[in-house]
Amino acid sequence: MDFEGIIEKASNLLMDSNFTIGLTGAGISAESGIPTFRGKNGLWSKFKVEELATPEAFNRNPKLVWKWYKWRMEIIFNARPNAGHYALVELERLGILKCIVTQNVDGLHHLAGNKCVIELHGNIRRGRCIKCNYKVIFNEPPENIPPKCPKCFNLLRPDVVWFGEAIPKNKLERAFNLFSKADLALVIGTSGIVQPAGYLPYIVKENGGLIIEINVEKSAITSIADIFIKDKASIALSKIVKYIKDKLTSKLYDASENEL
Ligand code: APR
C-alpha cells in the first residue's frame, strides 16, 4: 500500500473509532528542536543517564544535575509546538482524540492547546522542594543553580520522574484506565522501551483494539501496530487531519445537497 493509502486507512480507522487515546514520546517534539533520548544524536548517546537522571545522581551532585536540566530548559523554553502537536489539537477538537498520555516533560501539548494531557514523567517547567514538596513554576531557567525552595530554603529538584522513581499513582491509574477504555491507540514518536508507558498500547491490543504508530523508524511497539506510518510526526499527522477534515466536509456537503 502506498503512503497515501496508509494515511487514508489510518484516517478512516480514527474516524470510525469510539475512543482514541494518544501515547507520545520525544519524537513528536524532535521537529521543535528538542533532542530525543535514543537513536543517533540522542541524549543518552552523549550523556550518562545514571549521572544526570536518577535520585542518586541528584543526591551526589545536585549542581551537575541542575546544570544539565538548565541546558535542557534553555532548549525547551525556546521551543514551540510543531505541526504534529497542532494536528493532535485538531483531533481532540474533532472529538476523535480523547486524551494524550505523554512521556515528554516539555509541556508542548498543553502549549499547543490540547485539553486532556497526562504528563507521565512530569514537567521540566516545574520544580519541587526535596523537603517540603512546595512546587514552583519556572517561567525561565533558574538563574542560580541549584535553586532553593522559596518556603523552606532547601533544594528544589526538577518535577520530573527519574529512572528508579515511581510515576505518581493517580497519573498511572488515569493512564491505565484510559487505555483500558480505548478502542484505538495512536502511538507517536516513542521507542516504546521505557515502562510502564511502553506497555500501555498492549492493553488496547489485548482488549481487541487497534494500534496506529507514527515513527521515523521501527520501535518496540511496531510489532503490534495494525498500521505503521514511517514518517515524521508533523507530516503524517497533518496529512491525517487534512484527510479527515476533507472527508467530513464532503459528508456535510452531500447531506446538505440531499436536504435541498
Ligand atoms: N517523528 C516521529 N518519530 C520520531 C521523530 C519524528 N520527527 N524523530 C524521532 N522519532 C522517534 C525515534 O525513531 C524514536 O523511536 O522518536 C522516538 C524517540 O525515542 P526515545 O528517544 O527513546 O524517546 P522516548 O520513547 O520518549 O523515551 C521515553 O525515556 O529517557 C526516558 O524519560 C525519558 O520520557 C523519556 C523516556
Side-chain angles (χ1 to χ4, degrees), residues 21-25 101-103 120 175-214 219-227:
I21 181 89
L23 173 68
T24 62
V101 174
T102 187
Q103 301 168 87
L120 272 190
F176 271 76
N177 289 338
L178 286 165
F179 275 81
S180 306
K181 274 165 61 177
D183 60 352
L184 196 155
L186 181 56
V187 182
I188 307 159
T190 181
S191 54
I193 52 180
V194 169
Q195 301 304 338
Y199 172 69
L200 294 170
Y202 285 79
I203 299 171
V204 176
K205 198 74 188 174
E206 282 155 18
N207 292 341
L210 296 169
I211 294 174
I212 296 172
E213 181 183 27
I214 298 172
S219 74
I221 309 287
T222 311
S223 60
I224 60 164
D226 297 276
I227 295 184

Side-chain angles (χ1 to χ4, degrees), residues 31-200:
E31 294 162 84
S32 296
I34 300 174
T36 59
F37 294 93
R38 296 168 187 83
K40 56 185 180 302
N41 301 326
L43 288 173
W44 298 145
S45 65
K46 300 189 186 78
F47 300 98
K48 284 201 170 32
V49 58
E50 56 278 5
E51 286 174 7
L52 297 164
T54 64
E56 296 75 20
F58 186 79
N59 296 334
R60 206 172 34 243
N61 190 341
K63 195 169 175 85
L64 173 68
V65 172
W66 265 110
K67 225 167 130 198
W68 189 65
Y69 273 91
K70 184 167 178 177
W71 170 75
R72 288 185 65 203
M73 288 167 96
E74 274 149 7
I75 296 169
I76 287 170
F77 278 56
N78 288 315
R80 290 287 162 266
N82 63 57
H85 294 102
Y86 289 116
L88 293 181
V89 176
E90 287 305 297
L91 287 178
E92 185 180 59
R93 279 200 190 127
L94 288 166
I96 293 173
L97 180 66
K98 304 301 183 193
C99 199
I100 299 171
V101 174
T102 187
Q103 301 168 87
N104 300 340
V105 296
D106 56 35
L108 292 186
H109 287 306
H110 280 298
L111 220 54
N114 276 94
K115 301 269 177 295
C116 184
V117 182
I118 298 177
E119 295 176 320
L120 272 190
H121 296 167
N123 189 313
I124 201 170
R125 300 167 192 268
R126 275 195 316 268
R128 75 167 189 271
C129 177
I130 59 168
K131 209 91 185 142
C132 71
N133 218 28
Y134 183 77
K135 293 223 170 127
V136 299
I137 300 280
F138 292 111
N139 295 312
E140 56 190 10
E143 189 63 38
N144 305 313
I145 49 171
K148 297 285 171 40
C149 171
K151 238 174 110 188
C152 74
F153 308 108
N154 277 286
L155 285 182
L156 288 176
R157 57 163 281 177
D159 193 20
V160 298
V161 178
W162 280 325
F163 285 99
E165 294 187 317
I167 290 170
K169 195 162 169 291
N170 62 324
K171 278 191 190 178
L172 205 49
E173 279 172 0
R174 275 188 71 204
F176 271 76
N177 289 338
L178 286 165
F179 275 81
S180 306
K181 274 165 61 177
D183 60 352
L184 196 155
L186 181 56
V187 182
I188 307 159
T190 181
S191 54
I193 52 180
V194 169
Q195 301 304 338
Y199 172 69
L200 294 170

